[in-house]
Amino acid sequence: MADVPADRASTDIFVGKGVLELLSSAMYVNPLSIFREYVQNAVDAIDDAVSAGHLSSSREGRIAITLDQATRRVQLRDNGIGLANQDFAATMLTFGDSSKRGSDARGFRGIGRLAGLGYGQQLIFRSRSVGDAMVMEVTWDCLTIKKLLATDSAGDDLETLVKKAVAVTTLPPDDYPTHFFEVELVKPRRIANDRLMNEVEIASYLGQVAPCPFAPEFSFGGEIANILAPYGRAARVYAIHINDAEIPVYRPYRDTITYAETQTSQVHSLESFEIERSEGGMAAIGWRIHHDYLGAIPPHSCLRGLRARIGNIQVGGERLFVEVFPEDRFCSWSVGEVHVLDARVLPNGRRDAFESSNHLDNIVHHLHPIGMDIARRCRQSSQKRNRLKAFANAAGKINERLEILNQGAVSEQFVHTARDEIHTLLASMQKVLELDLFGEAERKALNSQFNATKTAVPQSGARFGSSFQHLPPQKQRIYREVVDLIYACSADPIAAKVLVDRILERVLPEGS
């Protein structure tokens, strides 16, 4: 049993300094998640500003992220309702409690603002609300916190640590907005491609997790917005601008999915779905995009997976609902979102999964048929591609055989065998046409190709010319046997034909 300091009774409540480490760096393993936490607080503040009449709608809200490479500072400012001067210090120095709890706000645990403590030298917050004459500022000295957490003294409590590492000051209004909140991370750590100062990585991450608008070039963006419109927060989007860029951060969805430089797929239809609560009411609303299902979508696309969102902010990642697919791999073929509406389904503290509950189980249960349908489409697409490949290969082999026969350099036995092969290949093409895998336009194109190939095949009684007819019968027989051997022993009919063409140039008389 650990020793208890003599100056503290056994019934006293004691919060050790180590809890601060758990609530900050230990909670946020992915450095970029600090942007999600601050954006989440920002959009809640913008919603409050709309409710208070300071903004006409969420579309008037603005979240500005500034990356100052020269001084190594990251700043995120919103034009939300802000914190009143009189409430600022108490709110900013409260841990694990939030006035948002029980409301429809996205953040409610009161710890998200601590996300940046483990990733910089200073963490600074500033704010004011309408009517405040001054701007309030609280500065966390992250280096001091790190040193204090590293000491071995067992009696240090959270309050003592905060008093040593945190300063609250009052600033003149200067050019600050009348209502705002901003976070500033000073000298962020250089982590993996300096991602906390990397505009491209930050935009890519926020485009996936934050409530950003769809890009104008995404054809289904408006339709998805209409599907979500009746559900309040699920439909709200906010402008996030990085380094004063004119164009805000957009969601990653586009009309084209790029697999490789030479392979792309077009999205061609949208399907929405609803999931009801067991006792009535809506548990979730979702959508999925159908495309050509050419294979696993590359991870750099940032759009694969059936993803979850609450308040239009992502929970977890692309594999959160992997269990609803009959095979894990099909999760990476899918594109879609599940917007959770049931207030009893809660994200965990790190927002990388949901808290386990019967209400979550209900949603997952109803997603299984969707996962099964996506798997069916994936298998069907794979089967279709294989059949198209077989169709094209058969047509190619028929053309090869016809070119060889038209050379007139093989024996009658070779001709007979080649004819049989051609008819077998035509039959395999016919079987592909009979499969129920193709749309009307595809089937029409395949029929046209099949008919053209079949027409090029001479009737069974037709004879092919002889390239050796000027030679004595015995020499003709020898040459034909040699040519038969060339084709029989060659793994590449095209290369063999080129060789036979060269032989014919030598054997045939000039001018023939």
Side-chain angles (χ1 to χ4, degrees):
M1 187 177 194
D3 293 334
V4 178
D7 61 344
R8 194 166 75 244
S10 61
T11 56
D12 287 348
I13 303 300
F14 178 80
V15 180
K17 63 183 180 181
V19 73
L20 188 60
E21 187 173 25
L22 293 174
L23 294 178
S24 55
S25 56
M27 284 285 292
Y28 305 102
V29 179
N30 179 1
L32 292 175
S33 63
I34 70 175
F35 289 98
R36 180 199 64 214
E37 291 301 313
Y38 295 137
V39 166
Q40 177 175 277
N41 289 336
V43 298
D44 281 340
I46 289 171
D47 285 353
D48 288 343
V50 173
S51 298
H54 304 324
L55 298 174
S56 62
S57 73
S58 62
R59 292 203 174 260
E60 269 195 12
R62 182 182 175 93
I63 302 169
I65 297 175
T66 303
L67 308 172
D68 190 330
Q69 301 291 345
T71 62
R72 288 194 64 76
R73 290 172 180 260
V74 179
Q75 185 185 83
L76 188 150
R77 176 187 287 184
D78 67 70
N79 63 345
I81 196 166
L83 282 174
N85 285 181
Q86 62 187 27
D87 301 326
F88 183 80
T91 302
M92 298 309 294
L93 298 179
T94 297
F95 303 91
D97 187 32
S98 174
S99 59
K100 298 178 184 179
R101 187 175 290 273
S103 70
D104 66 349
R106 298 161 183 84
F108 59 89
R109 289 189 170 90
I111 59 174
R113 66 180 178 278
L114 305 176
L117 286 180
Y119 292 106
Q121 294 186 11
Q122 283 186 316
L123 185 62
I124 305 171
F125 302 93
R126 302 182 188 93
S127 187
R128 73 189 294 198
S129 63
V130 173
D132 286 333
M134 306 299 285
V135 171
M136 298 299 294
E137 177 183 87
V138 60
T139 301
W140 290 75
D141 187 333
C142 304
L143 295 180
T144 297
I145 291 173
K146 188 175 181 179
K147 290 177 183 177
L148 293 173
L149 289 174
T151 60
D152 296 330
S153 51
D156 289 350
D157 64 353
L158 178 62
E159 182 179 357
T160 300
L161 182 148
V162 171
K163 287 180 177 179
K164 291 179 179 179
V166 180
V168 179
T169 55
T170 303
L171 305 176
D174 294 335
D175 296 326
Y176 288 104
T178 56
H179 56 93
F180 79 101
F181 188 94
E182 75 178 22
V183 186
E184 185 173 323
L185 184 64
V186 180
K187 290 183 170 51
R189 291 162 50 193
R190 297 181 186 272
I191 305 171
N193 201 27
D194 202 14
R195 59 178 52 182
L196 290 176
M197 295 288 293
N198 189 317
E199 181 176 345
V200 174
E201 287 207 29
I202 294 169
S204 174
Y205 175 78
L206 288 177
Q208 296 175 72
V209 306
C212 302
F214 290 109
E217 56 266 34
F218 178 50
S219 299
F220 295 102
E223 191 174 346
I224 293 172
N226 290 335
I227 291 169
L228 299 176
Y231 303 100
R233 295 182 310 151
R236 292 177 199 158
V237 295
Y238 306 80
I240 302 175
H241 296 264
I242 301 178
N243 287 339
D244 293 323
E246 182 179 349
I247 299 175
V249 176
Y250 288 130
R251 305 289 300 283
Y253 303 102
R254 299 294 188 274
D255 287 353
T256 300
I257 299 173
T258 301
Y259 290 85
E261 288 185 8
T262 58
Q263 186 182 37
T264 60
S265 172
Q266 298 299 309
V267 299
H268 52 71
S269 62
L270 171 73
E271 182 179 347
S272 63
F273 55 88
E274 297 178 348
I275 298 176
E276 292 187 355
R277 294 164 49 171
S278 55
E279 66 275 27
M282 198 68 69
I285 182 79
W287 59 266
R288 52 181 174 143
I289 288 288
H290 295 304
H291 48 97
D292 297 326
Y293 294 101
L294 300 180
I297 300 170
H300 63 72
S301 67
C302 302
L303 52 81
R304 69 183 191 178
L306 192 58
R307 304 187 180 212
R309 299 177 83 83
I310 291 183
N312 207 10
I313 295 180
Q314 184 169 294
V315 177
E318 65 184 62
R319 293 178 60 81
L320 183 65
F321 289 126
V322 68
E323 65 183 282
V324 308
F325 297 90
E327 296 179 40
D328 288 3
R329 63 192 177 103
F330 293 133
C331 178
S332 299
W333 296 47
S334 63
V335 178
E337 292 180 345
V338 181
H339 289 257
V340 176
L341 306 174
D342 191 338
R344 299 168 300 182
V345 180
L346 301 174
N348 63 17
R350 293 204 307 208
R351 207 176 175 92
D352 59 2
F354 289 105
E355 292 182 356
S356 180
S357 69
N358 292 334
H359 313 298
L360 172 64
D361 293 341
N362 172 62
I363 292 175
V364 173
H365 171 73
H366 283 88
L367 288 176
H368 275 281
I370 292 173
M372 293 292 290
D373 180 66
I374 291 174
R376 178 187 62 79
R377 292 171 183 269
C378 294
R379 292 192 180 102
Q380 188 178 63
S381 175
S382 179
Q383 183 184 13
K384 176 179 171 180
R385 291 194 306 276
N386 289 336
R387 294 297 182 269
L388 287 173
K389 185 177 180 180
F391 186 92
N393 286 341
K397 288 181 179 179
I398 290 173
N399 290 332
E400 287 176 4
R401 298 296 187 274
L402 291 176
E403 288 181 0
I404 291 171
L405 295 180
N406 287 327
Q407 274 183 321
V410 293
S411 67
E412 285 300 319
Q413 181 59 41
F414 189 101
V415 171
H416 180 74
T417 302
R419 282 184 182 278
D420 288 343
E421 291 177 351
I422 288 172
H423 288 300
T424 300
L425 291 167
L426 284 172
S428 69
M429 293 175 71
Q430 182 69 52
K431 286 183 178 180
V432 171
L433 289 174
E434 293 170 357
L435 295 173
D436 188 21
L437 292 174
F438 310 106
E440 183 177 348
E442 289 176 316
R443 190 175 300 281
K444 183 177 180 180
L446 290 174
N447 270 311
S448 177
Q449 183 180 355
F450 174 75
N451 291 331
T453 302
K454 186 176 181 181
T455 301
V457 177
Q459 297 298 317
S460 57
R463 297 183 62 84
F464 294 92
S466 173
S467 298
F468 303 123
Q469 59 186 359
H470 65 288
L471 299 174
Q474 188 171 355
K475 276 194 173 185
Q476 288 187 38
R477 181 179 58 79
I478 293 171
Y479 274 119
R480 291 183 190 283
E481 288 178 357
V482 170
V483 171
D484 284 359
L485 283 170
I486 291 173
Y487 282 119
C489 297
S490 176
D492 185 353
I494 296 177
K497 183 179 179 298
V498 171
L499 177 59
V500 173
D501 283 337
R502 290 178 180 175
I503 292 173
L504 292 176
E505 289 175 2
R506 295 281 189 98
V507 172
L508 294 177
E510 291 188 20
S512 61

